């Protein structure tokens, strides 16, 4: 499959009237045009403005011999978000646009120049080389709904990272202000410890507060799950604290500020998740993905936001590769390596299906039986089994989304076979 795909890409490059390599930057892009059977043009730098894009398109057409845009293959090496606007501009003009991976161009430069030369002009020529030999990947021009989901997923992930950073900082501050508090409340993902710390950030603050006031707050925020026993634990933790006296001033004052930041991140994530669910409902795959046990609307939205339109893929192997869950092996001569996942792909997609697999192996989960059977095969090692079931979960979600069918415990092919046998 891999060789046939590369053959198609090489053929696509060879049939193009010209191939173009574009090195993308923040303020300027640089391109090199290679007409079919001709020499490379001089590098052409242009600004990332409408005028600059118009000049670049005109330059490409002129250097390509006046052919139509659809006959020209343009490869772009993206630098983060830089280059996306030019890619969409070129698509609207009718050009063929593909993506060249930065890791490929870096290695190709070392092959061609025997050293990692880094200039915009050299990079554009290197990208042109790679496009000409078919070393590129398709650029995902997403429909509006899938593109919006992708942006929302990215924004949610950024907020999650910032929230985690704020929680880490909060725990670090507590280690010198009131280290015993974390022993009473070890899990900070719940609202109770955060609300308590916002009101009583230091041990002295808790001891000075009236017992009735603290108990009332405890019961309110925990919905009557916590009371007298937890209060006594907090009082003991405050009385026997080893917190530094010098940390009870400005450092203690940072705690309410950190909790305020965390509250903002949580509220913003709630807004984004609500919008994700709204966009999800407009996609035809939504109701089918939600029929899978354990797949919630946010999980389905993250999945579709990261892969885009399922119809754009040929098989589940491409999705496994996209997530970094494809199997690779290092073997040479008499040395036989063990297959393991590549981890070269979207870590967020890999993490999402891993969490879904964890839910699916619970006592009432759909993968529980397979989990127990595979444990016997691995000698009780859980991680290899969870990784294998993560691959299965990803393939299941992709197949259901692509085929737009509801989940059934038994695969459709097996059901059809049984029907044929019964008939």
């Amino acid at each position: 499959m891999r060789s046939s795909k590369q053959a198609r890409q090489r053929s696509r490059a060879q049939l193009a009237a010209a191939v173009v390599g574009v090195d993308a930057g923040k303020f300027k892009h640089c391109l090199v045009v290679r007409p079919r059977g001709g020499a490379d043009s001089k590098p052409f730098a242009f600004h990332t403005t409408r005028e600059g894009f118009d000049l670049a398109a005109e330059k490409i057409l002129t250097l390509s011999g006046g052919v139509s845009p659809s006959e020209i293959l343009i490869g772009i090496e993206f630098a983060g978000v830089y280059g996306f606007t030019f890619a969409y501009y070129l698509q609207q003009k009718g050009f063929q646009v593909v993506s060249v991976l930065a890791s490929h161009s870096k290695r190709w430069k070392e092959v061609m120049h025997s050293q990692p030369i880094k200039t915009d002009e050299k990079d554009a020529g290197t990208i042109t080389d790679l496009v000409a030999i078919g070393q590129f990947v398709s650029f995902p021009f997403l429909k509006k709904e899938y593109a919006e989901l992708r942006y929302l997923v990215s924004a949610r992930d950024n907020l999650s990272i910032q929230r985690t950073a704020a929680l880490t900082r909060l725990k670090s501050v507590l280690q010198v202000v009131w280290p015993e508090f974390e022993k009473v409340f070890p899990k900070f993902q719940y609202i109770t410890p955060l609300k308590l710390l916002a009101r009583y950030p230091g041990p002295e603050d808790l001891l000075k507060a009236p017992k009735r006031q603290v108990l009332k707050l405890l019961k309110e925020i925990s919905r009557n799950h916590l009371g007298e026993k937890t209060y006594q634990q907090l009082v003991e933790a405050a009385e026997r604290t080893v917190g530094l006296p010098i940390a009870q001033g400005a450092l203690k004052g940072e705690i309410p500020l950190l909790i305020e930041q965390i509250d903002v991140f949580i509220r913003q994530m709630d807004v984004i998740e609500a919008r994700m669910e709204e966009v999800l409902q407009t996609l035809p795959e939504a109701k089918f993905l939600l029929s899978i046990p354990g797949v919630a609307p946010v999980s389905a939205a993250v999945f579709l936001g990261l892969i885009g339109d399922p119809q754009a893929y040929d098989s589940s192997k491409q999705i496994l590769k996209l997530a970094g869950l494809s199997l690779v092996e290092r073997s040479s001569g008499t040395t036989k390596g063990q297959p393991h996942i590549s981890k070269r792909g979207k870590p967020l997609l890999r993490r999402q299906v891993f969490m879904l697999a964890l839910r699916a192996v619970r006592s009432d989960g759909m993968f529980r039986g397979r989990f127990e059977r595979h444990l016997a095969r691995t000698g009780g090692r859980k991680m290899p089994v969870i990784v294998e079931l993560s691959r299965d979960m990803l393939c299941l979600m992709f197949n259901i989304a692509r085929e737009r069918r509801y989940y059934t415990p038994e695969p459709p092919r097996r059901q059809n076979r049984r029907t044929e046998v019964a008939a």
Side-chain angles (χ1 to χ4, degrees), residues 7-23:
R8 289 197 302 270
Q9 292 188 169
R10 283 195 300 269
S11 177
R12 184 179 175 187
Q14 290 165 1
L15 293 174
V19 294
V20 182
V22 180
D23 181 57

Side-chain angles (χ1 to χ4, degrees), residues 211 215 218-219 226-235:
K211 178 180 178 180
L215 277 173
L218 259 178
K219 290 179 180 179
L226 303 176
E228 181 72 31
K229 182 179 178 181
T230 305
Y231 172 76
Q232 293 300 332
Q233 290 175 337
L234 283 169
V235 169

